[in-house]
Amino acid sequence: MWKIGDVEINNRVVLAPMAGVCNSAFRLTVKEFGAGLVCAEMVSDKAILFNNPKTMNMLYIDENERPLSLQIFGGEKETLVEAAEYVDKNTTADIIDINMGCPVSKIIKCEAGARWLLDPNKIYEMVSAVVERVDKPVTCKMRIGWDEDHIYAVENAKMAEKAGASAISLHGRTRVQMYEGHADWDIIRRVKEAVNIPVIGNGDVTSPELAEKMLEETGVDAVMIGREALGNPWMIYRTVHYLETGELIDEPQVDEKVEIALLHLRRLVELKGEKVGVMEMRKHASWYLKGVRGNGKARKALNQAETEQEMIDILQAFQKEVMEKASLQQA
């Protein structure tokens, strides 16, 4: 058990806030696999203030997801503070997270996301303004720096702490690296040593064993898992179990993968309606079947499916085919 502000978190595994992925359907599924904390995908401060229908739907939280961190981004103090106040008073999020790590150009052009990494003083100004106006704990998600010549991770983390942030999530890559190359765990360790608030380490945690290694080598309070959980919520469960018991659980079988894919599909359709839910599920379905031998035909069909029933039929037919082949091999 550890805390972010007054929010208790029961284990050291956190789901990263991935744009276009971390809606309530996905978060709830991952939560059921044991994540101590789940993070919602980032939302624009201005879109909240303009009452954009799509954005307002992104603020939906199922009570069973909690504790939950809801992430906002923006480049101007006034609108960021107003959006944070809205989240504080009108959602059941437990934590408000400020994005200062997104490397995407359209976010950078708004003076948001990773743009802040070049200016520790801006981090202090923006975070302190939000902290002063909300009751929920405020956290920051950042990268180690802009590029290898501009790595201000320690200074930025100290400024966030000074501004009143309750925790920091640190991705061990620069903005220029995007999602390529290796995450620098040594800088994560230096940040953890430099501040007194919790630090969540992010980057290259691709197995339960590497989660344990990050915790040991950097001293962080928790590990954040992102892309490795796509189509693979078992990564969360296996990591929590390994950290608590030292036992490594086997990877899931095909029938388990299909059953959770079907659950995820149902939740997405309930959340977004059939048309949008099926469109969004196409990528998730492919992720669930990733690594399963002979999945090419099924993945192609799933990428063309237009109704929930089509997807169900394709997934169940593939499940049956794989299990029949397995029983023939055993016979």
Side-chain angles (χ1 to χ4, degrees):
M1 183 80 72
W2 59 291
K3 285 186 174 185
I4 293 178
D6 59 356
V7 178
E8 292 187 346
I9 300 166
N10 64 11
N11 65 53
R12 305 172 79 186
V13 181
V14 177
L15 174 69
M18 293 176 282
V21 172
C22 285
N23 53 51
S24 180
F26 180 69
R27 298 190 309 256
L28 181 58
T29 303
V30 172
K31 185 70 178 182
E32 289 171 346
F33 275 82
L37 175 68
V38 294
C39 302
E41 58 188 317
M42 66 179 185
V43 290
S44 159
D45 59 350
K46 288 187 170 66
I48 291 173
L49 300 180
F50 291 150
N51 207 27
N52 176 280
K54 185 179 177 183
T55 298
M56 303 318 280
N57 288 337
M58 290 167 69
L59 301 181
Y60 171 77
I61 298 165
D62 186 298
E63 281 301 298
N64 293 313
E65 299 176 51
R66 299 177 63 192
L68 176 134
S69 170
L70 200 153
Q71 187 181 79
I72 58 175
F73 73 91
E76 298 171 19
K77 182 164 63 176
E78 292 75 16
T79 51
L80 191 73
V81 169
E82 283 186 55
E85 286 184 304
Y86 183 90
V87 171
D88 189 45
K89 293 176 173 57
N90 297 284
T91 78
T92 56
D94 300 278
I95 296 161
I96 298 171
D97 187 58
I98 302 174
N99 182 296
M100 52 187 80
C102 181
V104 178
S105 294
K106 70 177 181 180
I107 306 297
I108 302 292
K109 285 175 184 173
C110 301
E111 296 297 318
R115 174 66 73 187
W116 292 21
L117 300 173
L118 292 166
D119 189 352
N121 290 322
K122 178 168 184 173
I123 289 174
Y124 176 78
E125 179 188 358
M126 301 288 267
V127 175
S128 60
V130 171
V131 169
E132 285 171 16
R133 298 276 287 274
V134 302
D135 294 324
K136 298 179 193 289
V138 175
T139 61
C140 304
K141 173 89 162 62
M142 58 178 68
R143 286 175 174 247
I144 58 172
W146 182 263
D147 57 29
E148 60 182 19
D149 297 319
H150 299 86
I151 293 178
Y152 306 141
V154 170
E155 297 93 322
N156 290 339
K158 283 183 173 180
M159 280 300 195
E161 180 181 37
K162 184 181 176 185
S166 294
I168 293 161
S169 301
L170 185 61
H171 185 159
R173 290 181 174 84
T174 63
R175 186 265 166 167
V176 168
Q177 278 183 280
M178 299 292 281
Y179 300 97
E180 304 298 323
H182 294 291
D184 192 326
W185 288 7
D186 187 57
I187 293 174
I188 295 175
R189 176 188 59 78
R190 280 158 45 197
V191 166
K192 174 58 189 169
E193 291 172 353
V195 297
N196 296 308
I197 54 176
V199 176
I200 303 166
N202 180 211
D204 292 351
V205 178
T206 56
S207 69
E209 298 98 322
L210 284 171
E212 182 180 59
K213 188 178 181 187
M214 175 184 268
L215 289 166
E216 290 175 350
E217 291 188 1
T218 66
V220 291
D221 300 86
V223 294
M224 180 173 273
I225 295 171
R227 289 171 293 166
E228 205 61 34
L230 297 176
N232 186 21
W234 295 270
M235 171 63 181
I236 302 291
Y237 176 72
R238 295 174 71 241
T239 301
V240 171
H241 188 82
Y242 183 75
L243 293 178
E244 291 177 352
T245 68
E247 178 190 14
L248 195 60
I249 298 171
D250 290 340
E251 296 275 8
Q253 299 297 310
V254 176
D255 57 332
E256 295 174 79
K257 289 189 172 192
V258 171
E259 289 306 316
I260 298 303
L262 290 168
L263 171 65
H264 192 164
L265 169 63
R266 189 177 77 241
R267 285 176 170 165
L268 257 181
V269 170
E270 286 173 1
L271 182 70
K272 301 203 171 190
E274 184 171 41
K275 184 176 180 181
V276 176
V278 167
M279 287 290 287
E280 289 200 10
M281 190 62 199
R282 288 176 177 180
K283 61 189 176 188
H284 288 284
S286 287
W287 287 328
Y288 277 107
L289 299 189
K290 186 180 176 183
V292 180
R293 186 175 294 175
N295 67 20
K297 186 178 173 184
R299 286 174 75 172
K300 186 177 179 182
L302 286 163
N303 278 324
Q304 296 170 347
E306 294 184 354
T307 68
E308 181 180 10
Q309 191 59 51
E310 274 185 82
M311 280 202 156
I312 292 170
D313 292 344
I314 295 162
L315 284 165
Q316 289 181 337
F318 180 68
Q319 180 184 35
K320 183 180 178 184
E321 178 189 330
V322 171
M323 293 182 76
E324 283 176 352
K325 283 181 182 176
S327 61
L328 282 171
Q329 287 172 353
Q330 287 172 359

